[in-house]
Amino acid sequence: MNTIKQRTLFTFALLLLVASTWAVDKKKAVKSKVKNVTVFLNRAQVTNAARVYVPAGQTILIFEGLSTRLDKQSLQVSAEGNLTIMAVKHRINYLKNFTKAQRIKQLEDSITYLNDRIARVQVEKEVLMSEEQMILANQKIGGKQQGLSAQKLAEMAAFYRKRLSDIRFSVLRHNKALKKHKRRLEKLRIQRANESKNANKPTSEVMVTVSAKAALNAAFELNYIVMNAGWRPIYDLRAKDAKSPIQLSYKAEVFQNTGIDWNNVDITLSTGNPSQSGYKPNLNPWYVGFVRPRPRPAYKKTKRAERLYSEEVLDEDHRVKTNRQFAKKDRSKTIADFTKVVETTFSTKFDISLPYSIPSNGRPQLVEIAKHNMKTLYTHSAVPKLDKDAFLMAQLVEWEKFNLLSGKANIYFEGSFVGETFLNAKNTKDTMNISLGRDKRIVIDRKQIKDFTRKRFLGSNIKQTFGYEISVRNTKKENVTITIEEQIPVSKTNKITVELLEAEGAMVDKITGKVTWKITLKPQQTTRLALKYSVKYPKKQQIVFGG
């Protein structure tokens, strides 16, 4: 009887051991690699891929070493094979840190090598200095000996001189080497500190519970959104001369600090922004009513009270203006040769077919997207009232078909860097104006016509007249078309009357007061333009010109 009980207990213990072993085997750690990344203006969509052996039955696959910047709400898991995904769970593992990146290991190897070199140079320097001390000591002992011949003394002096010189020059070389190695060592340590910011951070894991009727090798993909990533556009505008079309290089500064390096992955840049809400705003009733006057204080108003009252009124006006503002707001081949542009309903995507690497350090990495030859019209423009130089302007025609975003642009003209500008893609016009710089070969001057500028009293009013002469000379060897911009003041009250007296050949915008001439000058030709206007106002008032 006891034997039967012992066998039963042994069998039960064996079954528990097998069951516990089976339970341990059913949890499996998986290493995945970043396969491709779609980088939005803010955030990025990452796809990790892995091939996993899945045994029969139910298994928990733990995909390790993922970014802690992962948005768990966006997580999607798919698999190819005869299995069923039962559950997906995300967690932060504070017990496992990111493994050191290859470049951090290389930096540490370089630091170790330099420490060895510094130690070796210091030992050699110490040996040389010991030898110098020994020679100096022997020199004193030798000097006490009597009966040395002159020849012997000369030989000893020559030996001391040569050897001491060799030693001291060697010490100088060793000091220079030490200084050089220490400077390099300090730079490597700073670089390692910057690169190691993510090394000690926790990792992210995705636990995927799967069920399979039979063992198989399955291909898994994890798709998710990560923070701390994005891109911004930057452009190079190059013009060979004032007759050639402008070549636009469309580039992107891609950055990410997700904690995971993207090594040799397929990169897609998207103009979409998943952080923006996709919900259409609704208009609430907008009421209008009378302003209720505030009761004035009964006590005598002091200067401080007047100031406080005016500040309250100004604050009320500020709130009204602010609300209105819120209501209104809403050649060798390059990477560009391997970029495919895909237009979707809500955004444009640039698929780069060559693998790319973006390290997780937050520093922008330049990626060239595309190159376009822009249809360009050249003209000159000047505002003599503010600046007497003429500016060469390039008008980009049909720019909107190139899917541009607003961003900084570097301008190159005739092989030289001209400066920077901002390319405004929210421009509603069919042409985009770009200033290419100052053209000193067009000479402009603006002078006041003193005989015409005067003040007169007309009954209860004062009438002031103003006159200016703008001279423009073309010193170039070809014809030049230039736009000259001037202005007259605009009255804000019916008590002030502004009258344009002379602006022959100009277009006048009565709302803004802008006066514009468009003229063509032959080589060595000079032309003169006249602007005259008057301002009439009550003589008991003073006028002020301003924006």
Side-chain angles (χ1 to χ4, degrees):
M1 191 69 179
N2 291 334
T3 305
I4 295 173
K5 287 183 178 180
Q6 289 176 353
R7 287 179 179 175
T8 303
L9 291 172
F10 176 76
T11 304
F12 182 70
L14 185 61
L15 289 172
L16 286 175
L17 179 62
V18 172
S20 62
T21 304
W22 178 83
V24 171
D25 291 340
K26 287 301 181 177
K27 282 190 176 181
K28 187 170 185 178
V30 179
K31 297 290 185 183
S32 62
K33 290 185 177 181
V34 177
K35 179 182 177 183
N36 54 64
V37 179
T38 298
V39 186
F40 301 103
L41 296 175
N42 183 7
R43 294 173 172 74
Q45 182 173 313
V46 181
T47 301
N48 279 51
R51 182 164 288 275
V52 186
Y53 172 77
V54 180
Q58 188 165 301
T59 309
I60 299 176
L61 303 177
I62 304 174
F63 290 84
E64 299 178 332
L66 303 177
S67 171
T68 54
R69 303 295 183 182
L70 184 153
D71 181 5
K72 63 181 181 181
Q73 303 297 332
S74 67
L75 181 61
Q76 300 179 62
V77 180
S78 61
E80 291 182 0
N82 189 14
L83 55 81
T84 303
I85 297 177
M86 308 293 292
V88 176
K89 184 181 179 182
H90 172 261
R91 70 182 183 186
I92 304 294
N93 190 339
Y94 292 94
L95 300 178
K96 282 191 176 182
N97 296 332
F98 282 116
T99 55
K100 292 182 181 178
Q102 183 64 29
R103 63 177 178 276
I104 298 179
K105 293 180 180 178
Q106 291 173 352
L107 288 170
E108 290 183 344
D109 291 341
S110 299
I111 289 172
T112 302
Y113 170 78
L114 274 178
N115 280 325
D116 291 342
R117 289 291 302 166
I118 289 171
R120 182 182 293 272
V121 173
Q122 284 177 336
V123 168
E124 292 174 355
K125 177 184 172 183
E126 290 172 2
V127 170
L128 287 169
M129 295 180 72
S130 298
E131 183 180 356
E132 180 183 3
Q133 292 174 2
M134 182 184 68
I135 290 173
L136 292 173
N138 289 335
Q139 186 181 20
K140 291 178 181 178
I141 295 172
K144 295 178 181 178
Q145 295 180 3
Q146 302 295 326
L148 291 175
S149 64
Q151 181 180 356
K152 194 67 175 177
L153 286 173
E155 290 176 356
M156 289 177 63
F159 168 77
Y160 287 136
R161 183 169 57 250
K162 183 178 184 308
R163 187 55 193 153
L164 285 175
S165 296
D166 291 343
I167 289 173
R168 289 179 181 176
F169 281 124
S170 295
V171 170
L172 284 175
R173 287 194 297 270
H174 281 64
N175 285 334
K176 288 183 180 179
L178 283 173
K179 193 176 292 185
K180 178 182 176 182
H181 291 334
K182 287 178 179 178
R183 281 200 302 263
R184 178 63 179 164
L185 182 64
E186 183 63 23
K187 290 180 180 179
L188 287 173
R189 284 173 174 167
I190 293 172
Q191 186 68 22
R192 182 183 63 178
N194 290 332
E195 299 288 353
S196 300
K197 287 180 180 178
N198 294 316
N200 297 321
K201 292 184 178 180
T203 60
S204 178
E205 295 178 348
V206 173
M207 303 173 65
V208 181
T209 305
V210 297
S211 179
K213 294 181 179 179
L216 76 158
N217 281 312
F220 283 82
E221 280 193 356
L222 277 68
N223 196 290
Y224 51 89
I225 297 289
V226 289
M227 315 294 179
N228 288 21
W231 71 282
R232 48 184 171 262
I234 185 171
Y235 304 93
D236 284 347
L237 301 175
R238 298 179 184 273
K240 184 179 178 182
D241 49 45
K243 297 179 181 179
S244 304
I246 282 183
Q247 185 186 66
L248 182 143
S249 294
Y250 195 166
K251 300 178 181 180
E253 288 183 333
V254 185
F255 59 92
Q256 66 106 346
N257 194 17
T258 63
I260 302 292
D261 292 339
W262 300 340
N263 292 320
N264 296 320
V265 301
D266 294 331
I267 298 288
T268 298
L269 303 178
S270 173
T271 59
N273 189 350
S275 64
Q276 278 188 323
S277 171
Y279 292 101
K280 181 187 79 68
N282 293 320
L283 286 172
N284 293 320
W286 187 27
Y287 300 104
V288 61
F290 291 105
V291 177
R292 295 180 179 179
R294 297 186 180 185
R296 292 178 177 268
Y299 57 87
K300 186 177 179 181
K301 191 182 291 185
T302 61
K303 288 185 178 180
R304 181 175 180 274
E306 290 178 355
R307 179 172 56 82
L308 291 173
Y309 179 79
S310 63
E311 285 177 354
E312 289 176 355
V313 174
L314 288 173
D315 187 62
E316 182 68 25
D317 291 340
H318 173 72
R319 284 196 294 271
V320 173
K321 290 178 182 177
T322 304
N323 290 335
R324 289 175 182 170
Q325 290 170 359
F326 281 131
K328 291 181 181 177
K329 279 187 180 179
D330 206 43
R331 63 103 291 205
S332 57
K333 287 187 177 181
T334 64
I335 296 295
D337 299 309
F338 300 91
T339 303
K340 179 182 178 183
V341 180
V342 180
E343 293 190 21
T344 63
T345 304
F346 298 109
S347 64
T348 301
K349 292 183 177 180
F350 304 97
D351 292 328
I352 302 172
S353 58
L354 291 180
Y356 222 84
S357 295
I358 309 293
S360 175
N361 54 20
R363 291 195 290 270
Q365 187 107 351
L366 201 62
V367 177
E368 190 165 17
I369 298 175
K371 285 185 177 180
H372 305 293
N373 285 325
M374 312 287 287
K375 185 178 179 181
T376 311
L377 302 176
Y378 291 94
T379 185
H380 287 79
S381 185
V383 187
K385 180 182 178 180
L386 303 179
D387 195 314
K388 292 184 180 181
D389 280 341
F391 292 83
L392 178 62
M393 305 296 294
Q395 295 180 335
L396 306 182
V397 184
E398 298 177 349
W399 61 271
E400 64 274 7
K401 70 180 183 180
F402 295 111
N403 304 301
L404 306 181
L405 297 172
S406 298
K408 187 177 70 172
N410 300 312
I411 302 174
Y412 300 87
F413 185 70
E414 295 180 342
S416 300
F417 175 72
V418 175
E420 293 182 355
T421 188
F422 184 79
L423 196 151
N424 183 14
K426 293 182 179 180
N427 182 13
T428 57
K429 299 180 181 179
D430 56 357
T431 59
M432 181 180 292
N433 293 321
I434 303 293
S435 178
L436 297 178
R438 301 170 184 265
D439 192 340
K440 297 291 186 179
R441 290 171 293 181
I442 298 176
V443 183
I444 301 175
D445 194 17
R446 181 182 190 264
K447 293 180 179 178
Q448 189 179 52
I449 305 175
K450 294 182 179 180
D451 294 340
F452 187 81
T453 302
R454 56 185 179 268
K455 182 188 294 187
R456 291 184 299 170
F457 292 90
L458 300 175
S460 61
N461 295 318
I462 295 176
K463 187 175 183 179
Q464 279 188 262
T465 54
F466 302 86
Y468 299 93
E469 183 184 75
I470 301 100
S471 60
V472 185
R473 178 172 175 79
N474 176 22
T475 66
K476 299 163 75 74
K477 296 180 180 180
E478 64 269 1
N479 291 351
V480 168
T481 299
I482 184 169
T483 301
I484 304 295
E485 297 179 5
E486 275 287 345
Q487 65 180 163
I488 60 174
V490 179
S491 174
K492 292 184 177 181
T493 173
N494 56 8
K495 294 182 180 181
I496 300 176
T497 303
V498 178
E499 182 183 359
L500 178 63
L501 303 176
E502 184 180 344
E504 186 179 352
M507 294 185 297
V508 182
D509 188 330
K510 294 181 180 180
I511 297 176
T512 63
K514 198 172 189 179
V515 180
T516 306
W517 289 271
K518 190 171 184 179
I519 58 176
T520 299
L521 298 175
K522 295 179 181 179
Q524 309 304 320
Q525 182 184 354
T526 302
T527 190
R528 287 176 174 81
L529 307 171
L531 175 67
K532 297 178 181 179
Y533 61 91
S534 66
V535 180
K536 188 173 70 172
Y537 56 94
K539 64 180 181 181
K540 291 183 179 181
Q541 302 288 334
Q542 289 185 338
I543 60 173
V544 61
F545 297 93

